[in-house]
Amino acid sequence: MRCFLALLLMISFALNAADEIYDFDDPGQRALFLTLSESLRCPKCQNQSIAGSNALVAQDMKRKVYQLLQQGYTEQEIIDYMKQRYGDFVYYQPPLNPLTLLLWMGPALFVLLVLGILIRRRNKPAVQADSAMLAKAEKWLEEDK
Amino acid sequence: MKKLSLFLLPLLLFLLVSVFLLQGLFSDPTERKSSLLNRGVPDFSLPDVMNDSIVYGPEVFDNQITLLNVWGTWCVTCAYELPFLTQLREQGVRIVGLYYEQDLDPDFGAKSLRQIRLDIDKKLGQLGNPYAFNIFDQQRSLSLDLGVTGAPETFLIGPQGKVLLHHIGDVNERVWQQKFESVYQRLSGQALNQQESVR
């Protein structure tokens, strides 16, 4: 039990330590820092935000985000600052350009396609059964008896 | 007709997905276009790693074709490319090092400058020294401005100080031939022509 408590204490210390590196006077700025470090992608790692990565470049970027916030940069300005250096890749939300058009329009196109198919189905007249076909079916039924 | 399309449609979808996935097999996930391409080297003012009193700025790239190689003694892959880069230097390619230290965390600071210099001397003594000089990126600020993701990375910088190529990973013979050589030859051809027209 004592061992467990000690472990728990150590873990909570570790969590605190990670928190303490960046001090903010303004809780709003702190929240912005956290959102930004979650929405910026670490360029070295495959699909990790800079908040989740311990790569050197992610640490450097976090530090830079902190410094820029202290200098009064807005959220968009910081995103642009990083994009200018690491490209669109660095921000999790891809921009709308010819290259990503399909990505953005894909879901809408899909919905339109399905709607189109549904409407065509509905407008199609029910299967027409003329008398000759009916007679044939009758005959088969008779034969099966 | 309906049967045929029922057969063809899944086949077509399958082929499309296959081609898409096949492409993925050969694509390099670390490959991405540098956003600095065709733009000038960002402004900086950084010391020589061996001598604090020498300070470099972007003008070190003026009127020369330069390979800017990001490296550190702690970086294993960098050690692999040092011999090849040294060969390039012997062929007359100007290579400038952008040195950064992993242990030199601005928040904590661990390795002394003296130790860093000793390590560099040792490493270059063992594997060859390709560098005309080494810019010391103490806070990794220039690295950040250049969009460096780690080491090794190499930039080809044109005589107007423009970034023309950005390669992530080591430069070996294959990379040099496939990626760098043609651009380098074209540039040095242009430089020669200009010199002759001045005469």
Side-chain angles (χ1 to χ4, degrees):
Chain A
M1 186 63 200
R2 198 175 285 172
C3 206
F4 174 73
L5 274 179
L7 196 70
L8 206 70
L9 209 64
M10 267 157 66
I11 291 173
S12 61
F13 269 134
L15 287 177
N16 271 335
D19 240 15
E20 266 167 1
I21 298 179
Y22 301 110
D23 277 334
F24 290 95
D25 300 330
D26 172 15
Q29 221 175 30
R30 188 185 143 78
L32 189 57
F33 175 77
L34 292 177
T35 356
L36 271 171
S37 46
E38 284 291 348
S39 55
L40 289 170
R41 173 156 41 176
C42 163
K44 183 72 178 173
C45 351
Q46 290 302 310
N47 219 359
Q48 252 188 324
S49 69
I50 60 170
S53 166
N54 260 329
L56 195 65
V57 64
Q59 291 174 29
D60 285 349
M61 283 168 69
K62 268 181 280 189
R63 186 179 307 111
K64 197 76 205 179
V65 169
Y66 175 74
Q67 285 167 2
L68 293 178
L69 277 172
Q70 301 294 51
Q71 286 167 29
Y73 276 54
T74 64
E75 184 176 1
Q76 191 54 47
E77 278 167 353
I78 293 175
I79 292 169
D80 290 344
Y81 182 96
M82 288 301 173
K83 272 189 180 179
Q84 208 184 18
R85 285 156 180 78
Y86 290 98
D88 290 334
F89 179 87
V90 82
Y91 188 47
Y92 267 114
Q93 185 172 328
L96 183 60
N97 61 30
L99 210 67
T100 59
L101 195 67
L102 202 63
L103 182 70
W104 279 97
M105 302 306 281
L109 282 179
F110 185 75
V111 168
L112 280 179
L113 189 80
V114 171
L115 270 180
I117 290 174
L118 282 180
I119 288 171
R120 249 185 74 183
R121 280 236 172 126
R122 185 158 282 191
N123 288 347
K124 222 184 213 170
V127 181
Q128 287 189 345
D130 55 23
S131 51
M133 277 169 82
L134 276 174
K136 223 185 209 172
E138 272 314 323
K139 211 177 121 198
W140 286 339
L141 280 173
E142 279 299 313
E143 276 169 10
D144 274 357
K145 264 182 186 170
Chain B
M1 183 61 205
K2 196 158 191 179
K3 261 194 184 157
L4 194 69
S5 74
L6 266 179
F7 168 72
L8 276 181
L9 214 67
L11 187 72
L12 201 75
L13 270 174
F14 171 74
L15 283 178
L16 272 176
V17 171
S18 301
V19 168
F20 179 72
L21 292 178
L22 192 73
Q23 260 190 334
L25 278 182
F26 300 102
S27 81
D28 179 2
T30 59
E31 178 80 45
R32 65 189 66 106
K33 253 181 117 178
S34 170
S35 46
L36 268 173
L37 285 187
N38 294 319
R39 296 218 316 256
V41 175
D43 198 21
F44 66 93
S45 172
L46 292 168
D48 191 287
V49 74
M50 291 304 183
N51 184 349
D52 296 329
S53 55
I54 308 174
V55 176
Y56 302 112
E59 71 281 350
V60 294
F61 301 114
D62 286 350
N63 305 319
Q64 287 185 79
I65 309 159
T66 311
L67 284 190
L68 182 66
N69 178 245
V70 185
W71 76 292
T73 50
W74 48 270
C75 150
V76 183
T77 320
C78 305
Y80 274 99
E81 65 174 358
L82 276 176
F84 180 70
L85 290 178
T86 308
Q87 272 182 40
L88 284 181
R89 183 192 191 170
E90 281 157 7
Q91 290 165 28
V93 179
R94 181 186 192 234
I95 303 174
V96 170
L98 181 65
Y99 189 87
Y100 80 84
E101 193 53 57
Q102 202 172 25
D103 295 338
L104 199 77
D105 191 315
D107 290 335
F108 301 105
K111 207 167 167 183
S112 73
L113 193 58
R114 208 178 71 88
Q115 189 58 45
I116 292 173
R117 286 176 182 163
L118 280 175
D119 284 352
I120 293 177
D121 273 340
K122 197 173 148 210
K123 188 68 96 184
L124 296 182
Q126 281 170 349
L127 298 166
N129 180 4
Y131 304 111
F133 54 86
N134 272 287
I135 301 168
F136 189 26
D137 198 5
Q138 293 151 307
Q139 313 282 323
R140 296 188 287 275
S141 52
L142 179 57
S143 298
L144 194 91
D145 284 341
L146 282 167
V148 169
T149 64
E153 289 189 17
T154 302
F155 296 85
L156 178 63
I157 298 170
Q160 279 92 40
K162 265 188 191 169
V163 177
L164 298 173
L165 275 178
H166 179 183
H167 177 72
I168 296 177
D170 63 323
V171 175
N172 48 40
E173 200 152 358
R174 184 176 52 85
V175 171
W176 174 256
Q177 279 169 3
Q178 285 181 359
K179 210 167 170 180
F180 285 88
E181 202 168 20
S182 61
V183 187
Y184 185 82
Q185 299 294 3
R186 185 167 51 84
L187 279 177
S188 37
Q190 280 172 6
L192 273 180
N193 282 342
Q194 270 174 5
Q195 275 178 9
E196 270 164 27
S197 65
V198 168
R199 278 177 208 165

